[in-house]
Amino acid sequence: MEVERGVAFDTGDSFFRRESAAGRDLGVLAAAVHRHRRPSSSGLRVLDAMCGCGVRSLRYLSHGVADFVWANDAFEGNNSLILANLSGEPRFDASGERRWVVTHLDANRVLAECYLRRNFFDLVDVDSFGSHSVFLRSAIAAAKIGGLLYVTSTDGRSSGGHRPTCSLASYGAYVRPMPYSNEVGLRMLIGGVLREAAALGFHISPLFSYYSYHGPIFRVMLQVDYGKDHDVSRYGFISYCSICGHSQTYSWDELGQVSCPCRNGEVSSSVSVSGPLWIGPLHDPAFVAEMLQLAEEWGWAHTDRKDVDLEKLLNRMIDESDPQLPPGYIKIDEIASRAKLNSPAISIIIDTLRKEGYAACRSHIESNAIKTNCPMATCIQIALRYGHWR
């Protein structure tokens, strides 16, 4: 028997990660904020397309954010387990309307049939394994206009640039190895959803993006709205120079100008380019701030759990939302190595960069890294100037 935020459930022989509790916390908080922002006469309806043992479905119901949950898992052998876990919640409400239902169908079939029957949901949760982007288009189609889409990828090899043809086939992005590959994984996933949404005449906006090292797991909560977004400035390319460590973004119109300042504008094999990827903000700071406020009200912000501190996580997401911050992060050890100094305390380098007029904050993805608009070469100069970091 497992217990998560006061909710008890069994996992049986199904695949289950205790470490994914933070991702489930974030999903519940986002659903609650969305319900508050967009009250509906029909309540909040959730489709959990790959529910496993049913823990996410149970938590949406038990924490009172969902009025109806469709729990689907293709493996029929999980039927008794899911039913047992959901049985603690009434199957019908006071008016006789169903609160939950369990099915065992292919996720794509469920999602496609919801679209065809115009049975749309406020939140579509697709917790897939690997790089199964085949579900993205049907998941978008099953969401209400203005609804939420919670998608997952566990394909760390593609985000690390080790399988560029796979990332191209799954997400439409040719990804090369970069030192901030885990952020690239989030941007790859968002870019893939953006591409599928555009094909259907929709556009998407990230509400939060969350990376967890176990797996690894890339989770993104997106809002789906009708109408194509003709602004492609947030869908472009990222370059990284292995010689000097410089990164920058490029629009589609600038592809012929890809180079690095250290190469004096010349083409160089030291410059790797990945894309197209989402190069816009990873989080909506106002939405995340509401999630944080709710976490504090529910007593979730501070817990004894060692894996994730929600208050710290959500505050870092808010900091990362600074529009001055470009994609990527810089590891402190890389600055120290290039400057031939010992690694400084991360708080010292952030304070110093801010005093120098640059935006800087910690990354929620990498504990020993910063996000900043200060170029690597300037970071090294500042490190040398403040040699007492040693």
Side-chain angles (χ1 to χ4, degrees), residues 47 49-50 72 74 105-116 126 132-140 142:
L47 172 54
M50 299 178 180
N72 177 75
L105 302 168
D106 176 79
N108 245 340
R109 176 181 171 182
V110 170
L111 294 164
E113 288 185 354
C114 286
Y115 167 71
L116 292 172
V126 185
H132 290 168
S133 59
V134 66
F135 304 105
L136 295 180
R137 188 172 297 197
S138 53
I140 294 166

Side-chain angles (χ1 to χ4, degrees), residues 218-299:
F218 308 90
R219 299 188 191 275
V220 180
M221 183 70 78
L222 306 153
Q223 186 163 337
V224 180
D225 287 296
Y226 189 71
K228 292 186 178 181
D229 187 354
H230 297 288
D231 179 11
V232 296
S233 63
R234 295 174 296 179
Y235 186 53
F237 301 82
I238 302 175
S239 72
Y240 173 76
C241 177
S242 59
I243 292 179
C244 70
H246 181 70
S247 291
Q248 64 187 92
T249 59
Y250 291 90
S251 67
W252 293 81
D253 294 338
E254 296 171 324
L255 281 178
Q257 305 169 32
V258 175
S259 62
C260 182
C262 79
R263 299 292 91 190
N264 296 318
E266 297 179 0
V267 175
S268 171
S269 60
S270 68
V271 180
S272 298
V273 180
S274 293
L277 304 164
W278 174 262
I279 56 175
L282 292 175
H283 323 284
D284 179 327
F287 192 92
V288 176
E290 289 185 52
M291 290 173 61
L292 175 58
Q293 181 180 356
L294 192 58
E296 292 171 343
E297 291 175 5
W298 287 0

Side-chain angles (χ1 to χ4, degrees), residues 154-164 166-167 175 177 181 188 215-216 218:
T154 60
D155 191 358
R157 286 190 58 78
S158 289
S159 65
H162 305 297
R163 299 195 300 175
C166 182
S167 63
V175 176
S181 60
M188 177 183 74
F218 308 90

Side-chain angles (χ1 to χ4, degrees), residues 340-356:
K340 295 181 172 57
L341 299 170
N342 292 330
S343 296
I346 193 168
S347 57
I348 292 177
I349 193 168
I350 289 176
D351 289 343
T352 304
L353 289 172
R354 288 174 176 171
K355 288 176 183 177
E356 293 286 328

